[in-house]
Amino acid sequence: MVSAVVLAGGRGKRMGYIQSKQYIDLNGAPILYYTLKQFIENDLIDKIILVVPEDEKDYCKREVLNKYGLKIDNLVSGGNERQESVYNALKELETSDIVLIHDGARPFVSQKIINDAIEYAKLYKATAPGIMPKDTIKIKDSNNFSIDTLVRSNLVAIQTPQAFDFNLIYECHKEIRQRGIAVTDDTSVVELLGHKVYIYEGDYKNIKITTPEDLILAEYFVKNIV
């Protein structure tokens, strides 16, 4: 069984919106609509769990799921932090073979990226798409002076979906909860406990909508590639 967990807990502060960013209109439909649609239409996905803040569950059901006829398997309440939201979803899944964990604010994830995530997770137990940064990356000191330039070909900007053997990611999440370790993504969860993550080729169009500038690019993408 292959399951997908879609995390839709972003509050949209950096967007300058009062409403959560996953509900921002993008060419006539909320951002979350496009994200969920990609997983719903993928024949390899058997189960979809959507995670939203508790106080948004009714709104999400009414204005996204029911309004656009999106069929998912479960709507789960998120936590205060991302890792707590993921853990809540994993508990709901109970059993699965492979689980994909994806940002709800990445509406342009391709079917190829989803399919690759599943295949590489079967091979390596932990995987994520990534792209090489386009800009030169420097390290600065506390006085804002450049002290080093990193080799760009060795760097990768990680995207989602991140995909895992279900038992591996679930046990790792339980372990970091017990230790009180904070992480920002799920590859870090397994890496902290000694497991390697295979990085496969991502897509520059697989953007996470975080700022108003991202929304301008998203408007272009939705009219030209969706």
Side-chain angles (χ1 to χ4, degrees):
M1 175 178 283
V2 178
S3 302
V5 171
V6 177
L7 302 170
R11 294 293 190 178
K13 293 179 181 178
R14 281 180 286 180
M15 294 293 295
Y17 282 74
I18 297 175
Q19 68 179 153
S20 296
K21 63 184 178 183
Q22 57 265 19
Y23 307 122
I24 293 173
D25 182 88
L26 193 59
N27 199 40
I31 289 170
L32 186 56
Y33 160 80
Y34 298 99
T35 306
L36 289 173
K37 189 168 176 283
Q38 289 299 94
F39 288 92
I40 291 169
E41 292 180 350
N42 189 290
D43 292 337
L44 300 179
I45 302 294
D46 300 301
K47 192 171 187 178
I48 299 173
I49 303 288
L50 175 61
V51 186
V52 300
E54 174 65 31
D55 61 358
E56 293 182 2
K57 289 176 78 172
D58 289 341
Y59 179 89
C60 185
K61 286 179 186 176
R62 183 180 67 251
E63 297 298 327
V64 181
L65 301 178
N66 295 341
K67 185 174 182 178
Y68 295 94
L70 299 173
K71 304 297 183 183
I72 64 168
D73 295 278
N74 207 345
L75 186 62
V76 174
S77 298
N80 292 326
E81 301 295 336
R82 185 184 190 280
Q83 68 191 74
E84 187 178 351
S85 295
V86 172
Y87 184 69
N88 289 349
L90 295 176
K91 286 192 298 183
E92 287 294 324
L93 279 174
E94 294 181 351
T95 58
S96 191
D97 297 306
I98 300 296
V99 59
L100 282 64
I101 302 172
H102 187 67
D103 300 320
R106 288 188 192 269
F108 304 113
V109 59
S110 68
Q111 294 298 317
K112 183 179 187 307
I113 285 184
I114 294 172
N115 293 341
D116 286 350
I118 295 168
E119 289 307 308
Y120 288 127
K122 291 176 181 176
L123 288 172
Y124 303 110
K125 294 185 179 295
T127 189
I131 53 174
M132 185 169 60
K134 294 181 179 181
D135 298 320
T136 296
I137 306 295
K138 287 184 174 288
I139 299 175
K140 67 176 183 177
D141 63 18
S142 58
N143 295 313
N144 290 329
F145 286 100
S146 172
I147 58 174
D148 198 9
T149 302
L150 302 181
V151 179
R152 190 169 52 178
S153 60
N154 293 338
L155 302 176
V156 61
I158 295 298
Q159 302 177 331
T160 66
Q162 299 177 1
F164 306 90
D165 173 89
F166 175 77
N167 290 327
L168 172 65
I169 190 65
Y170 192 23
E171 292 303 317
C172 287
H173 262 284
K174 287 194 284 188
E175 180 69 21
I176 68 166
R177 279 177 68 84
Q178 292 173 358
R179 295 191 193 182
I181 299 173
V183 296
T184 56
D185 84 329
D186 298 285
T187 58
S188 301
V189 175
V190 296
E191 286 173 334
L192 282 169
L193 297 178
H195 301 277
K196 291 185 177 181
V197 176
Y198 181 79
I199 307 300
Y200 66 95
E201 187 176 356
D203 187 337
Y204 286 103
K205 294 187 293 294
N206 185 24
I207 62 171
K208 184 177 183 181
I209 300 176
T210 305
T211 67
E213 292 78 15
D214 297 330
L215 198 56
I216 294 171
L217 188 57
E219 289 282 0
Y220 172 80
F221 283 163
V222 80
K223 293 174 182 177
N224 290 276
I225 68 172
V226 173

